[in-house]
């Protein structure tokens, strides 16, 4: 199908699906695929989960939207559940990850305002991704997403991810103007980058000492993905602000900004809002997603199958001449390649029937649903190995021909 009426923001593969169930997708021709992308860490409980299908259809027949002029029971319930799971105090609901991060950035501004900081700065990380609004884009890194938008708000100061020394020296040089640190606990779009052990804890301590808000973007890592409810829980810390989206709605748009302590008290009526945010459908879906994760013990499954997948990939590909590193946590795994390999995702789909993602040109990213079992782990390993072998031999054949 040609997409001539669509703006050219995407370069979709020549591949589309008409049906999904659990970990599987089917294309128009009826071919089955194992989904190791999950719509970029979104469909964490799998496609067409019967409990979600039921919740969505029942809620559609009852009530979709009334606005935040009125109380919304499902919104209250979801906020309470998320607060209980995370140790945060309060929640603001939006419709996407970028909006959740915009909310966090507005909290940082209010925090600065209360402290009398006139030109506040937010510390962000090199290689970060926080969204596509002008604000969140300014907090993100990389020419591909920023090129051409030169009128970006200049309220950010960028430091290398994982480098404590530079962070401390920034604190000395700009400390009076800094009001917050915004970062991903594990960088997702940046190629599944893990900080060195102890880094998050040290950032937490610094933020506390300096009265900066620690704002963790858990939009990709949250809701069970890394084998914890939230990635920060493995570090023995609690942030002041945390953002969620992707896996919380399993495909129904929802974003959430959670805050704790003073940060949870910064908004006042009228200081922020959203028409759709926190509507009964999205919040009921969020509650149902949490129910499913709890009942099917998917957080521990993500940890167990993630450990297995990482170990099996290391066994199978650790010595591969194209593989530089294999890393990840839970079911968020990256395989960094020496050089970009063209059409790798398409080759994996076409020849192996396994959907994989390639980010920043040369890192294979695996983000399967949290429901996968041991047999599916083997299918993913076989799919990645097969696709790499096919792509490498195609590239070599081409090189010989030239
Ligand atoms: C996907 C993502 C976002 C942006 O979410 P949208 O819903 O696309 O706006 C922000 N931060 C991180 C870490 C993400 O992975």
């Amino acid at each position: 199908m040609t997409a001539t009426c669509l703006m050219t923001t995407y370069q979709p593969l020549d591949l589309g699906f008409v049906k999904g169930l659990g970990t599987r997708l089917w294309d128009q021709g009826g071919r089955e695929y194992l989904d190791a992308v999950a719509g970029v860490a979104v469909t964490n409980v799998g496609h067409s989960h019967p409990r979600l299908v039921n919740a969505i259809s029942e809620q559609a027949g009852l009530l979709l939207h009334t606005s935040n002029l009125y109380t919304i029971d499902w919104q209250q319930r979801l906020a309470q559940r998320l607060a209980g799971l995370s140790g945060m105090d309060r929640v603001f609901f939006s419709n996407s990850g970028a909006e959740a991060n915009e909310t966090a950035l507005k909290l940082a501004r209010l925090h600065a305002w209360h402290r009398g900081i006139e030109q506040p700065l937010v510390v962000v990380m090199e290689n970060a991704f926080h969204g596509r609004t002008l604000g969140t884009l300014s907090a993100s890194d990389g020419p591909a997403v920023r090129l051409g938008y030169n009128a970006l708000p200049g309220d950010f100061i960028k430091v290398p991810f994982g480098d404590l020394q530079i962070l401390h020296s920034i604190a000395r040089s700009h400390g009076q103007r800094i009001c917050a640190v915004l970062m991903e606990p594990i960088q997702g779009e940046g190629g599944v980058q893990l900080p060195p052990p102890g880094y998050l804890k040290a950032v937490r301590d610094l933020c506390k000492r300096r009265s900066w808000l620690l704002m963790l973007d858990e939009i990709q890592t949250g809701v069970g993905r890394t084998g914890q409810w939230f990635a920060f829980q493995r570090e023995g810390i609690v942030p002041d602000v945390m953002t969620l989206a992707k896996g919380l709605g399993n495909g129904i748009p929802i974003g959430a900004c959670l805050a704790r302590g003073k940060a949870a008290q910064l908004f006042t009526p009228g200081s922020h809002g959203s028409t759709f945010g926190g509507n009964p459908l999205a919040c009921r879906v969020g509650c149902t997603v949490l129910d499913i994760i709890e009942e099917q013990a998917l957080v521990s499954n993500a940890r167990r199958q993630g450990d297995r997948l990482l170990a099996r990939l290391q066994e199978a590909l650790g010595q591969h001449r194209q593989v530089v590193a294999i890393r990840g946590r839970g079911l968020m795994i990256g395989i960094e390649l020496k050089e970009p390999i063209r059409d790798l995702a398409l080759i994996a789909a076409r020849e192996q029937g396994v959907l994989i993602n390639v980010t920043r040109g040369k890192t294979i990213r695996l983000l399967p649903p949290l429901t996968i079992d041991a047999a599916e782990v083997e299918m993913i390993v076989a799919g990645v190995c097969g696709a790499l072998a096919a792509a490498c031999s195609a590239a070599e054949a081409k090189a010989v021909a030239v």
Side-chain angles (χ1 to χ4, degrees):
M1 208 195 299
T2 49
T4 46
C5 288
L6 293 174
M7 292 204 187
T8 48
T9 47
Y10 309 111
Q11 282 187 292
L13 299 183
D14 185 17
L15 182 64
F17 308 100
V18 293
K19 199 176 96 151
L21 188 63
T23 58
R24 308 304 163 102
L25 284 167
W26 287 267
D27 68 14
Q28 216 148 23
R31 178 149 189 227
E32 182 179 315
Y33 300 81
L34 175 61
D35 183 4
V37 179
V40 196
V42 169
T43 52
N44 282 8
V45 303
H47 300 282
S48 310
H49 194 291
R51 287 201 48 186
L52 264 182
V53 172
N54 190 50
I56 292 170
S57 32
E58 195 176 289
Q59 194 58 40
L62 273 175
L63 188 65
L64 284 181
H65 179 85
T66 54
S67 90
N68 289 298
L69 296 171
Y70 308 98
T71 56
I72 300 170
D73 186 50
W74 283 108
Q75 193 181 121
Q76 302 269 6
R77 285 203 231 180
L78 182 57
Q80 201 159 28
R81 296 279 300 277
L82 289 173
L85 290 169
S86 65
M88 309 298 277
D89 296 329
R90 294 200 175 177
V91 188
F92 175 86
F93 289 109
S94 56
N95 315 286
S96 67
E99 281 175 273
N101 282 336
E102 285 286 339
T103 306
L105 292 171
K106 286 176 84 171
L107 286 177
R109 284 287 180 94
L110 288 179
H111 176 66
W113 186 58
H114 283 292
R115 293 184 54 210
I117 301 173
E118 271 174 23
Q119 289 180 295
L121 289 171
V122 173
V123 177
V124 292
M125 300 290 153
E126 285 176 8
N127 200 40
F129 182 77
H130 297 297
R132 303 281 194 161
T133 60
L134 279 174
T136 57
L137 196 56
S138 313
S140 303
D141 202 6
V145 298
R146 296 174 54 134
L147 186 70
Y149 302 109
N150 39 23
L152 290 169
D155 315 321
F156 298 93
I157 185 160
K158 208 183 311 168
V159 299
F161 184 58
D163 189 323
L164 268 180
Q165 261 190 334
I166 295 185
L167 185 62
H168 281 294
S169 80
I170 289 293
R172 283 191 295 275
S173 57
H174 294 75
Q176 300 306 315
R177 284 182 60 195
I178 293 170
C179 59
V181 175
L182 172 65
M183 62 180 292
E184 300 153 271
I186 298 171
Q187 293 185 328
E189 300 306 302
V192 191
Q193 310 286 350
L194 288 92
Y199 178 71
L200 279 169
K201 184 107 197 339
V203 176
R204 170 69 282 181
D205 291 344
L206 179 64
C207 286
K208 192 171 173 142
R209 266 205 320 280
R210 292 268 181 170
S211 297
W212 304 345
L213 297 181
L214 175 59
M215 312 200 296
L216 290 184
D217 177 345
E218 293 241 18
I219 288 164
Q220 190 160 146
T221 51
V223 201
R225 172 60 51 190
T226 68
Q228 307 280 338
W229 273 105
F230 309 104
F232 73 76
Q233 290 169 328
R234 196 175 177 277
E235 312 287 328
I237 61 160
V238 192
D240 302 297
V241 176
M242 167 173 74
T243 52
L244 299 174
K246 296 200 163 94
L248 184 56
N250 213 67
I252 294 291
I254 186 169
C257 178
L258 295 82
R260 188 174 64 93
K262 275 194 212 144
Q265 314 289 332
L266 289 165
F267 285 140
T268 47
S271 61
H272 193 42
S274 165
T275 299
F276 292 145
N279 73 53
L281 179 73
C283 290
R284 181 167 178 182
V285 165
C287 286
T288 309
V289 165
L290 300 181
D291 286 341
I292 294 168
I293 292 177
E294 273 172 0
E295 280 162 29
Q296 295 182 209
L298 295 182
V299 177
S300 57
N301 192 61
R303 191 161 56 235
R304 195 167 54 246
Q305 302 303 347
D307 286 348
R308 188 194 306 262
L309 180 56
L310 191 64
R312 289 287 296 114
L313 287 168
Q314 264 151 358
E315 255 171 48
L317 289 170
Q319 306 303 317
H320 194 285
R321 67 188 185 286
Q322 274 296 337
V323 174
V324 175
I326 305 172
R327 56 180 176 253
R329 191 148 287 146
L331 288 173
M332 181 170 175
I333 293 178
I335 306 166
E336 188 179 327
L337 304 175
K338 234 177 231 143
E339 52 203 44
I341 297 180
R342 272 196 63 196
D343 298 330
L344 189 59
L346 196 59
I347 291 169
R350 288 263 159 81
E351 296 190 15
Q352 309 293 321
V354 175
L355 302 182
I356 62 170
N357 171 251
V358 180
T359 180
R360 297 267 155 121
K362 55 178 186 136
T363 300
I364 299 172
R365 184 171 44 163
L366 302 173
L367 300 160
L370 311 186
T371 56
I372 59 163
D373 60 22
E376 288 167 329
V377 163
E378 293 308 319
M379 289 172 68
I380 294 171
V381 174
V384 171
C385 291
L388 259 181
C392 288
S393 67
E396 273 151 28
K398 209 165 147 195
V400 169
V402 179

